[in-house]
Amino acid sequence: MPDARTASIGPAPASAPAPTPAPVPAPVSGPAFAVAAPRPVIQRLSVRGQVLDALRSALVAGDLAPGEVYSAPALGERFGVSATPVREAMQQLANEGAVEVVPNRGFRVIRRGARELAELAEIRALVEMPVMLRLTRTVAAPCWAELRPLADATVTAAATGDLARYAESDRVFHAAVLALSGNRQLVQLADDLHRRAQLPLAGAPTRRPRADLLADAAQHAGLLDALAAQDVAVAQGLIRDHFAGA
């Protein structure tokens, strides 16, 4: 008696094509969510960054008065966020020397004196001037022309009279010039000094006259012209005057 299995499964006819095997799904290792796109956890950092920017603008504009103490909960209510990102942002400002921690109360805005700002201006000149003058010999004129829109942006910001906006555009311009040196540590150090120098004096008017801002911004265009022309003497004079008026 023939085997039942042999009888029920005979050879396929010669003319019939071989059956195509069904696709086999790729093996899945781990739970299903392991293959999904990772969800970035950046919301808290983003809020902290926005609060930090807002606090910096308020400091430059004088909205946070030198010598005054501000609590994280009160500032959080002002910005519509919890106290946590405010504390984190204020701690960063404390590291930068803009505020100081007052235990159980909050943060006090540092009082800046004329001597301190003069010292910062002197240090900035010592750091930035040699680099800029060296760049007159190593950077081609077309590279300086590419920075012209940044210089124009400082003029536009100055025309608005918005001190915080001008301060930001001013830092962007100086950072772009120094970045041509290729020294990232230098750019970071100079930016930190620049931020400190932009904080207002205690007891001084909260707003600089628009004419002062426009005159300061105009020096950026003149500096680019001198650097592109490799005119070291003019560039040196402009840089010295620029920092003296900062």
Side-chain angles (χ1 to χ4, degrees):
M1 180 177 179
D3 190 338
R5 291 174 298 175
T6 305
S8 60
I9 307 179
S15 59
T20 302
V24 179
V28 178
S29 59
F33 63 78
V35 297
R39 183 175 62 184
V41 184
I42 60 174
Q43 185 175 5
R44 184 178 177 187
L45 293 178
S46 176
V47 171
R48 174 190 175 277
Q50 292 178 52
V51 171
L52 181 58
D53 290 341
L55 288 171
R56 281 173 170 162
S57 295
L59 286 167
V60 171
D63 294 336
L64 298 180
E68 293 295 321
V69 177
Y70 297 90
S71 70
L75 289 173
E77 184 176 353
R78 173 177 174 175
F79 294 126
V81 298
S82 69
T84 299
V86 175
R87 288 193 184 95
E88 293 172 347
M90 292 296 269
Q91 188 60 58
Q92 174 62 33
L93 292 173
N95 294 338
E96 295 174 3
V99 301
E100 61 183 356
V101 178
V102 181
N104 302 320
R105 292 185 60 194
F107 300 85
R108 178 184 291 112
V109 179
I110 296 294
R111 287 182 175 273
R112 300 280 180 183
R115 177 173 179 176
E116 182 178 357
L117 291 185
E119 290 173 349
L120 285 168
E122 181 181 2
I123 296 172
R124 287 186 62 206
L126 290 172
V127 170
E128 295 189 35
M129 185 183 294
V131 177
M132 291 184 183
L133 296 181
R134 187 178 76 245
L135 292 175
T136 62
R137 301 189 298 271
T138 59
V139 175
C143 292
W144 296 120
E146 293 177 1
L147 301 187
R148 185 71 59 175
L150 298 181
D152 293 341
T154 66
V155 176
T156 301
T160 67
D162 186 335
L163 188 55
R165 179 181 173 188
Y166 177 73
E168 178 65 23
S169 64
D170 186 35
R171 284 198 310 276
V172 170
F173 172 80
H174 281 264
V177 172
L178 295 177
L180 294 176
S181 70
N183 189 329
R184 291 178 295 178
Q185 297 300 319
L186 168 71
V187 175
Q188 183 176 347
L189 173 63
D191 187 64
D192 178 64
L193 292 170
H194 201 159
R195 285 189 185 279
R196 293 171 184 254
Q198 287 176 333
L199 296 174
L201 285 169
T206 57
R207 305 189 70 84
R208 283 180 65 186
R210 187 176 303 182
D212 288 355
L213 294 180
L214 286 169
D216 192 71
Q219 291 178 334
H220 294 148
L223 177 60
L224 286 181
D225 291 339
L227 294 172
Q230 296 185 331
D231 193 329
V232 175
V234 172
Q236 187 172 8
L238 282 169
I239 296 169
R240 186 181 293 109
D241 291 345
H242 189 64
F243 287 131

